[in-house]
Amino acid sequence: MSSPESPSRPARSDARRNREKLIAVARRAFATADGAVALEAIAREAGVGIGTLYRHFPTREALVESVYAAELDDVTAGAPALLAEFPPEVALRAWMDRYAAFVEAKRGMGDLLRASVASGRIATPATRRRLTAAIGAILERGASAGTLRADVDPEDVVLMLLGVFLATADRDAERIGRLLDLVVDAVRPKVAE
């Protein structure tokens, strides 16, 4: 017999809503937590019982992996919307802010994410490819508009961003903002002297 969320049968709408609520609450909880996050508190804030949480996410790792996937989807899918709303250089900086929020949310899930990466359940090369593609789309648009350099490798920008986030483990938002501004300045066209 298949479960309500098996690939052969779509989840009921109330089950989908519960799953989405649990992920949304968990995202906030992991992003703001200084220590371990109680799954019971996530279920309570989402307005469901702990049994519902465990039906959707049988382990803490499963919940963390789902939160990670949702965050990554938001970050990578955000580039086209930002480009539709802002000039490329502004879209790039706004995208970096979204990515910074993604990294911040991951800090509360650090140990569990490391275990998921080590086990192969989360593939870091796939994550990096998706991030690189999002930045690449913004850089390409900026190069066409003449507001961002055409000679920048999007993967180099990803590596610069990773450096910023590794160097600012103290979560100093003001410093992170300044460093992200410097990254954007680095990919602007050079001014002829």
Side-chain angles (χ1 to χ4, degrees):
M1 176 176 208
S2 55
S3 71
E5 294 187 44
S6 70
S8 61
R9 189 169 68 182
R12 298 184 332 250
S13 61
D14 61 329
R16 281 192 309 275
R17 279 192 305 275
N18 286 341
R19 181 180 172 79
E20 291 166 6
K21 283 192 292 188
L22 285 163
I23 290 173
V25 169
R27 286 170 84 166
R28 287 191 305 273
F30 288 128
T32 60
D34 286 330
V37 176
L39 297 182
E40 294 81 4
I42 291 172
R44 187 173 41 254
E45 188 177 333
V48 300
I50 192 69
T52 299
L53 184 143
Y54 281 117
R55 265 192 305 283
H56 290 285
F57 310 103
T59 64
R60 180 180 290 273
E61 292 81 7
L63 176 60
V64 166
E65 290 166 14
S66 292
V67 168
Y68 176 86
E71 288 280 332
L72 182 61
D73 288 346
D74 284 353
V75 169
T76 57
L82 290 169
L83 283 169
E85 185 176 349
F86 300 113
E89 68 281 6
V90 176
L92 178 62
R93 184 59 177 82
W95 187 90
M96 288 178 182
D97 284 337
R98 285 187 179 186
Y99 185 48
F102 169 70
V103 170
E104 186 62 28
K106 287 186 346 180
R107 289 183 185 188
M109 305 180 285
D111 292 338
L112 292 171
L113 281 175
R114 279 186 284 284
S116 293
V117 168
S119 72
R121 289 188 309 268
I122 293 177
T124 53
T127 297
R128 183 160 305 167
R129 278 192 300 274
R130 291 178 67 190
L131 294 170
T132 300
I135 290 172
I138 297 171
L139 291 174
E140 186 178 312
R141 180 79 61 86
S144 294
T147 58
L148 295 173
R149 291 172 44 187
D151 64 337
V152 175
D153 182 336
E155 192 162 354
D156 290 346
V157 178
V158 170
L159 292 173
M160 287 192 299
L161 293 174
L162 292 174
V164 167
F165 300 128
L166 287 172
T168 56
D170 61 356
R171 300 178 177 187
D172 181 345
E174 188 175 317
R175 173 169 280 154
I176 291 169
R178 287 194 313 265
L179 292 170
L180 294 179
D181 288 343
L182 287 172
V183 172
V184 172
D185 286 346
V187 298
R188 291 183 193 275
K190 296 174 184 172
V191 178
E193 296 180 16

